[in-house]
């Protein structure tokens, strides 16, 4: 008996993830962009949706909550900081909250930076984390109503998780992120290797998510703020990591 994870795309690049606990029959959706496709995957698996875990208020993560709640009467857990904007939240979460899922416990981290209310779900016993739009393979989220300093701190927390932990995120943005990473650190051998793997996966229409903490530490420029090659390329030798991060994030916006 264990946890089954089903990940699928909605539209071009939005990931939906369902978690199913075989022992108790509980099923959770991480975010809910829209109800119809999620409901059809639930039906195909004969799963009853019991919970929705919301990472943040953006419409591509919450648009399906109302419809799913109406169909399944599920419990919706989400960030207290966006309770009003999201609506329909039954359980309000903040730093240190824990979500009980079947016989498991999932930790809640406040991970602002993409937006002020963003939270992540760290499922330690299963060695997986759901990081929403905070971190992507080879990249990180854009900054909306928050700051680069907050995003930097949130990413640093992820990089301190165990190397083998698997990170699930909200979007398939990997090819764009890969090209940006290569522009900053073309000599990174691990990145060169990863490029081949990613191009192969994408050519077969396969997903590049989840990633792992180790892989991101080795190749994601937003976690490589002390890379000599990156520092040289952006002419910031000796600069503080948070300043380097801020510069890289703003370069990505123009890339
Ligand atoms: Zn978002
Ligand atoms: Fe998103």
């Amino acid at each position: 008996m264990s946890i089954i994870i089903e990940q699928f795309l909605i539209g071009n690049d939005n990931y939906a993830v369902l978690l199913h606990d075989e022992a108790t029959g509980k099923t959770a959706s991480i975010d809910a962009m829209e109800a119809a496709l999620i409901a059809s995957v639930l039906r195909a698996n004969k799963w009853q949706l019991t919970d929705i875990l919301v990472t943040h208020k953006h419409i591509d993560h919450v648009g399906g909550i109302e419809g799913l709640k109406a169909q399944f009467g599920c419990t919706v857990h989400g960030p207290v900081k966006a309770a009003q904007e999201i609506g329909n939240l039954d359980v309000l979460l903040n730093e240190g909250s824990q979500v009980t899922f079947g016989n498991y416990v999932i930790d809640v981290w406040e991970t602002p930076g993409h937006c002020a209310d963003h939270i992540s779900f760290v499922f330690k016993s299963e060695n997986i984390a759901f990081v929403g739009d905070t971190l992507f393979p080879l990249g990180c989220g854009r900054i909306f109503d928050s700051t680069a300093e907050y995003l930097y701190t949130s990413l640093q927390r992820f990089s301190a998780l165990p190397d083998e932990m698997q990170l699930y995120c909200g979007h398939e943005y990997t090819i764009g992120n890969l090209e940006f990473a290569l522009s900053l650190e073309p000599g990174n051998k691990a990145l060169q290797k990863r490029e081949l793997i990613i191009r192969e996966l994408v050519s077969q229409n396969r997903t590049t998510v989840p990633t792992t903490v180790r892989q991101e530490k080795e190749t994601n420029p937003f976690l490589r703020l002390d890379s000599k090659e990156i520092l040289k390329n952006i002419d910031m030798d000796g600069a503080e990591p948070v300043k380097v991060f801020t510069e890289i994030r703003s370069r990505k916006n123009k890339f």
Side-chain angles (χ1 to χ4, degrees), residues 60-61 133 171:
D60 58 323
H61 298 257
D133 288 358
H171 297 270

Side-chain angles (χ1 to χ4, degrees), residues 193-244:
K193 258 173 102 178
R194 197 171 176 196
E195 178 184 19
L196 300 177
I197 294 165
I198 287 169
R199 296 219 184 266
E200 180 68 18
L201 286 171
V202 169
S203 77
Q204 295 172 16
N205 257 322
R206 287 163 63 196
T207 176
T208 66
V209 176
T211 180
T212 63
V213 171
R214 178 199 304 276
Q215 197 162 231
E216 294 313 309
K217 286 196 299 198
E218 287 175 353
T219 55
N220 186 328
F222 295 97
L223 297 179
R224 297 183 55 73
L225 307 169
D226 59 355
S227 152
K228 290 211 166 60
E229 188 180 11
I230 293 179
L231 292 172
K232 185 160 172 271
N233 278 333
I234 63 172
D235 207 8
M236 286 187 82
D237 239 335
E240 264 177 79
V242 63
K243 299 238 165 68
V244 177

Side-chain angles (χ1 to χ4, degrees), residues 55-61 114-115 118 132-133 136 142 144 171:
T55 62
H56 67 293
K57 66 191 168 204
H58 289 157
I59 190 68
D60 58 323
H61 298 257
H114 170 65
C115 54
H118 201 296
D133 288 358
F136 300 115
R142 255 174 205 279
F144 289 90
H171 297 270

Side-chain angles (χ1 to χ4, degrees), residues 71-89:
Q71 278 179 69
F72 295 96
C74 49
T75 303
V76 186
H77 314 249
V80 63
K81 286 188 176 149
Q84 302 232 309
E85 287 141 293
I86 298 171
N88 284 307
L89 295 183

